[in-house]
Amino acid sequence: MSSVNADRIPNNVHLADDKRLQRALEAWQPNFMRWWREMGPCGFQDDLVYLRTAVGVDAGDWAHFDYVKMPDYRWGIFLADPVADRTIGFGDAMGQPVWQQVPGEHRNTLRRLIVTQGDTEPASVEQQRKLGSSCPSVYDLRNLFQVNVEEGRHLWAMVYLLHSYFGRDGREEADALLQRRSGDPDRPRILGAFNEPCTDWLSFFMFAFFADRDGKFQLLALAESAFDPLSRTTRFMLTEEAHHMFVGETGVLRVVDRTAKIMAEHKKDGIDDVRKLGVIDLPTMQKYLNLWYSVSLDLFGGEISSNAASFFASGLKGRAKEEQCEDHTALSGHYAMDVPKDGSIQKEEVPLRNAMNEVLRDAYVDDCQRGVDKWNRAIASHGIPFELKLPNRRFHRHVGLYGGLWVDTQGDLLTEQQWKARRDEWLPSDADKSFVQSLMTKPISDPKQMAGWISAPKQGIKGRPVDFEYVRHGEA
Ligand code: BYC
């Protein structure tokens, strides 16, 4: 069982025993706080927020609920407990003991993976920083802040690895994580989706459903890593990630439910008629889904990737739930890939190791479908004949085999001109975005109220009622 100490930086990694590391992290801490104040949630920093804080990794510790001002949140370093005698579960070194240090030959690659993972965490906080001023309820405001502080903690998790195991270049990378900015053309975040604006709550819920779910699958793959500290860190991050996806899934569910309910009550189904009733029409939701799903698919990297093959071969990154796979070397298997060739899409056999990004993406797509099915059941429960659909995975891609192709939501190839002429059928137009924004112009700060475009959640947080004062505004 891990013991947790309560130093300036809460941790279960015996930080106090490593003075050099402790000093390095304590030097990074004020920079993190500066970043949080500059790029974290806009306003609300002096409010008391009913937050879950991890104070340890054991069942009773990792979900401690209390009021806390966000800047006083105890961002800590927590690794899941080690698994005794753990061995490498896949790839060329399968069966050998896992590594407690970084092997020299994998140093650059591992650092790049950790930096890429780490970069997404502050990026998402930056993307969401202005949402507080248009929250649909105090319940949702609190959930937003919960997600934000935990993304901050996930940044700490990656920074701990960089500082502990990668010497000076690790420290430089940790500094750079606080310097890049989401959407900044001169110093953007590393991955595409984390530079997309996320300035309304429908986007936030879609982001938490689709982009955080990429987080789940990437963390599952890294939890398999032969580099044991990375595996232990990501295993603990996954416990927090589940809540973020809950926020996304139930958020979209409540928006969809509200629209379908109002449509049924008023017997209206035209887009303009539905909009006049103050709810988001379902075709517009489909467009937001198309956008966030497609940019999140890009996060898995290229379909055919020699990087992914070598990550797998060397034991750096496995498949999600590798233990459920049959052949852990993946040396003889093939993957039947849809490859664009001569103006059409053709099946091509790809060595399995080179298709590892696609294998992970397949698991992700199935998981997304499960959520979409739930949303559709909510629509159907009001007797509305409309189904949300995941677009074909080739649609609107910027990375990999389909990047730069002009593909419709069915997966068919179009010319650039044809695609551009129909773009607004598939993706939010300026008018759609303005409409969605028009519903979200001011915050709902009375705990008893809920914006008209979203249903109330079924239950509150940690046994509290939905109208509990989850955020105490302006209290010292
Ligand atoms: N945008 O072989 P390829 C989360 C680059 S989300 C821009 O196809 P590879 C969270 C790639 O870097 C989870 N560039 O890809 C969610 C490479 O560049 P170089 C984050 C991209 O290397 C919500 C080139 O294209 N975790 O936690 O197999 C809120 C060709 O590379 C993109 C991770 O991503 C892109 N989308 O795989 C908060 C896990 N995709 O080397 C948090 C760590 C690829 O030619 N990262 N490129 O310059 C990885 O495992 C891999 O880096 C990737 C890419 C899966 C991202």
Side-chain angles (χ1 to χ4, degrees), residues 133-146:
S133 63
S134 58
C135 63
S137 69
V138 175
Y139 164 91
D140 288 292
L141 183 65
R142 177 265 169 205
N143 278 349
L144 167 71
F145 295 155
Q146 183 70 57

Side-chain angles (χ1 to χ4, degrees), residues 19 60 66 68 118 195 252 338 360 453 473:
K19 292 291 173 211
D66 207 350
V68 57
N195 291 303
V252 177
D338 286 333
L360 202 57
W453 51 266
H473 195 50

